[in-house]
Amino acid sequence: MTASQAVTTPQRIPTPDGRSLDLWLAGPADGEPLIFHAGTPGSGMPFDWHVSSMADRGLRFVGWSRPGYGSSTRREGRSVADVVDDAQTVLDHLGADRAWILGWSGGGPHALACAALMPERVRGTALIASVAPYPADGLDWLEGMGAENVEEFEAALAGPAALIPFKERALAQFSNLTPSEVADAFGDLIDDVDRGSLTGALAGFLAAQMGEGLREGYWGWFDDDMAFIKPWGFDLDAIPSRVDVWQGGHDRMVPIGHGKWLAGHVGNAHPHLDPAEGHLSLVVDRFPRILDELLAPS
């Protein structure tokens, strides 16, 4: 991992419906595109460790801030499935027919939407600590989550009047974090495994990535939460291409029960459930292997 995370500047691209997206590109210009759907809250800003790992495998990082994050125009009431419009726009902008897809945490549902709704443009998909749908038959959705996430999603389920005050408080806390403050800000959402990963480059990246996403307000975060708890807009079991499902047993943001549920309900799922990893350690320690499994012949 590199010693520091360089904050890059996105380009602004238009969408056919009159919005705009903040788009980041990193790595070899002639590399195969890998669309990285970032977690919640966040932005499309790339992590140096991820970019270098991708570049070693001939991949180009492609990421954008979902509507409402950074300067990407808000799309009020958006569903998870709506991300496909933006994915098509980005690929068309790049002149790319197909891409690899990867989604981390709150980016996982959006990666699944691409796999389900634009299969002709998807080479393969990997989920890292992805959220499962709500409700999900046989899954206690909140079980094992840290107290902050339980409070957040109980507010979302109660409706906007309850969720907005939560976001107002959270915005003040998360929009201007320093790297040394990140671990404490996560509170009950991390245990010792993930806390051990929050040093150096990862802490700096998360502080910058979340700060960029929340730069103009909390609406992207609000809209993500509301999209997670309503119908996603596609059938999980109909996904035709391989989906690698990675989840850690020490994850208190998105507990391993979500990964087990997705492994049993996503079409062509290949589970990688690791009891020793957490939400953050997984995306650092296992990232090269995640890429290798994604690229491996089916």
Side-chain angles (χ1 to χ4, degrees):
M1 192 186 309
T2 56
S4 63
Q5 169 67 30
V7 177
T8 57
T9 302
Q11 58 178 284
R12 188 81 57 83
I13 66 167
T15 65
D17 61 356
R19 296 177 292 113
S20 65
L21 298 172
D22 289 348
L23 173 67
W24 276 265
L25 304 171
D30 61 349
E32 291 186 354
L34 186 152
I35 292 175
F36 191 105
H37 293 281
T40 300
S43 62
M45 182 183 293
F47 184 25
D48 286 348
W49 167 236
H50 291 170
V51 172
S52 62
S53 297
M54 292 177 194
D56 289 345
R57 293 158 176 80
L59 300 171
R60 184 187 196 190
F61 175 95
V62 178
W64 63 91
S65 298
R66 287 190 291 278
Y69 286 117
S71 296
S72 291
T73 311
R74 186 185 181 198
R75 187 173 182 177
E76 187 173 356
R78 59 180 164 88
S79 69
V80 170
D82 287 336
V83 74
V84 173
D85 295 338
D86 293 341
Q88 302 270 25
T89 294
V90 168
L91 289 178
D92 291 345
H93 173 78
L94 298 176
D97 293 330
R98 303 175 72 201
W100 301 95
I101 309 292
L102 193 154
W104 180 27
S105 188
H110 299 90
L112 287 168
C114 292
L117 298 176
M118 53 179 229
E120 72 286 352
R121 305 192 78 167
V122 172
R123 295 181 181 274
T125 304
L127 309 178
I128 307 174
S130 175
V131 180
Y134 181 90
D137 187 33
L139 173 66
D140 183 340
W141 207 80
L142 296 176
E143 183 180 9
M145 284 189 184
E148 293 87 347
N149 270 14
V150 172
E151 180 186 2
E152 177 178 350
F153 286 110
E154 285 182 343
L157 290 166
L163 186 58
I164 286 174
F166 177 93
K167 296 304 183 194
E168 290 173 343
R169 296 191 302 271
L171 179 67
Q173 181 180 15
F174 284 94
S175 58
N176 291 293
L177 287 175
T178 65
S180 63
E181 295 170 335
V182 172
D184 286 342
F186 282 148
D188 192 47
L189 295 174
I190 57 175
D191 67 6
D192 289 344
V193 170
D194 274 338
R195 191 174 295 273
S197 296
L198 276 174
T199 58
L202 181 62
F205 164 70
L206 289 173
Q209 191 252 14
M210 288 189 294
E212 166 61 22
L214 299 173
R215 176 168 46 82
E216 295 188 13
Y218 56 72
W219 286 115
W221 191 359
F222 175 93
D223 291 335
D224 269 1
D225 283 359
M226 298 306 292
F228 295 149
I229 62 170
K230 68 183 182 182
W232 287 3
F234 54 92
D235 293 328
L236 289 170
D237 60 1
I239 294 174
S241 57
R242 173 172 170 152
V243 179
D244 288 292
V245 179
W246 297 82
Q247 208 96 12
H250 283 264
D251 195 330
R252 294 183 56 77
M253 297 187 191
V254 184
I256 196 167
H258 286 240
K260 291 178 179 178
W261 191 94
L262 289 167
H265 292 81
V266 170
N268 288 301
H270 290 246
H272 309 269
L273 307 178
D274 192 333
E277 295 289 352
H279 194 85
L280 306 177
S281 68
L282 189 64
V283 83
V284 175
D285 299 341
R286 300 294 187 187
F287 196 71
R289 185 182 167 199
I290 289 169
L291 293 179
D292 289 340
E293 291 288 338
L294 175 63
L295 301 176
S298 299

